[in-house]
Amino acid sequence: MPGGTGPRILAIANQKGGVGKTTTAINLSTALAAIGERVLVIDLDSQGNASTGLGIDVQARINTSYNVLVGEARLTDAALPTAIPGLRIVPANADLVGLEAELISESDRPFRLKNAVAQMLASFPSLPEDERYSYVLIDCPPSLSVLTLNAMAAAHAVLVPVQCEFFALEGISQFKATIDQIRATLNPVLEIQGVVLTMHDARTSLSKEVVENVRGFFGSKVYDTLIPRNTRVAEAPSHGKPLILYDYDCAGSQAYIRLASEIIERERHYRAA
């Protein structure tokens, strides 16, 4: 397994909204499952878009990430199967909106998810094979809230989606500083696993300029794979399907499959180092 005795845990985060975090969580998890990995997605966004995009009806979300974080359910209880073999999700709903206020006086509030993951790992030997995950992907909200802190405290690394637009680098240096601060205070092993460039339009000079600027800032942390701006990417969530199930042959699907392969290859180098 990527994490040695357990899954490799990646938080998909960027404090800036609209950069493709949830789209990346949905389609990367599907691509990883499609190439044989066992994947758990944890939806930590109160909008629950990752849950919807993976086909989980609101009425089916009995135990959610909220119930896990307040100690009412275990991850193994809350994880629901999806239409993709090897892929499960802990869904989210609007209950997460009030979580920060509920936990304000709790000293362990940044570590609720980390503790829940530790509980799951302790039960790994007795779990069915399809629940012994090789990857856990955490879809974070577009803010540095207690939810994002929980994700980063629990994760081995952060995957940062960056949109190919004029303001792409706005806040990136601050976000990198935040990761450094979390490493110093909450999670000493946290690192940036990689940066994925999303909504890339090869026809524009702006996209080319953004790619050059982001690669100049992050260097080799930036994946080679560029996720294209593609109407099929935007359409798939409204059908409750990951892009790979909605249109396997489109450019966006093929890009996410390449990204999954690239991440796995990077993880191999990480383990060998």
Side-chain angles (χ1 to χ4, degrees), residues 98-109 112 146:
L99 182 73
E100 190 145 10
E102 287 186 51
L103 298 182
I104 192 68
S105 62
E106 303 295 330
S107 60
D108 68 339
R109 62 185 178 276
R112 291 299 184 95
V146 70

Side-chain angles (χ1 to χ4, degrees), residues 86-144:
L87 174 58
R88 290 175 171 252
I89 182 168
V90 175
N93 59 22
D95 289 346
L96 285 173
V97 170
L99 182 73
E100 190 145 10
E102 287 186 51
L103 298 182
I104 192 68
S105 62
E106 303 295 330
S107 60
D108 68 339
R109 62 185 178 276
F111 302 109
R112 291 299 184 95
L113 184 58
K114 182 177 181 178
N115 294 339
V117 169
Q119 184 182 49
M120 180 182 73
L121 294 182
S123 66
F124 249 43
S126 62
L127 291 176
E129 186 175 351
D130 65 346
E131 293 183 41
R132 296 200 291 270
Y133 309 106
S134 48
Y135 284 92
V136 174
L137 304 184
I138 308 170
D139 185 33
C140 298
S143 63
L144 291 174

Side-chain angles (χ1 to χ4, degrees), residues 93-227:
N93 59 22
D95 289 346
L96 285 173
V97 170
L99 182 73
E100 190 145 10
E102 287 186 51
L103 298 182
I104 192 68
S105 62
E106 303 295 330
S107 60
D108 68 339
R109 62 185 178 276
F111 302 109
R112 291 299 184 95
L113 184 58
K114 182 177 181 178
N115 294 339
V117 169
Q119 184 182 49
M120 180 182 73
L121 294 182
S123 66
F124 249 43
S126 62
L127 291 176
E129 186 175 351
D130 65 346
E131 293 183 41
R132 296 200 291 270
Y133 309 106
S134 48
Y135 284 92
V136 174
L137 304 184
I138 308 170
D139 185 33
C140 298
S143 63
L144 291 174
S145 65
V146 70
L147 294 167
T148 303
L149 289 179
N150 264 270
M152 291 191 182
H156 297 113
V158 183
L159 192 157
V160 187
V162 176
Q163 183 179 355
C164 292
E165 56 145 36
F166 183 72
F167 294 111
L169 293 178
E170 186 180 81
I172 283 290
S173 57
Q174 180 186 350
F175 184 67
K176 187 173 181 297
T178 298
I179 292 174
D180 291 339
Q181 185 177 8
I182 290 170
R183 184 164 52 235
T185 56
L186 301 178
N187 184 357
V189 304
L190 189 68
E191 61 179 356
I192 295 177
Q193 203 273 356
V195 177
V196 56
L197 289 157
T198 64
M199 305 179 206
H200 178 261
D201 188 341
R203 300 168 298 179
T204 68
S205 57
L206 175 61
S207 277
K208 181 180 179 181
E209 183 179 344
V210 170
V211 170
E212 290 174 354
N213 287 341
V214 174
R215 290 195 193 283
F217 187 83
F218 283 106
S220 62
K221 289 288 186 182
V222 183
Y223 300 110
D224 293 333
T225 302
L226 303 173
I227 306 300

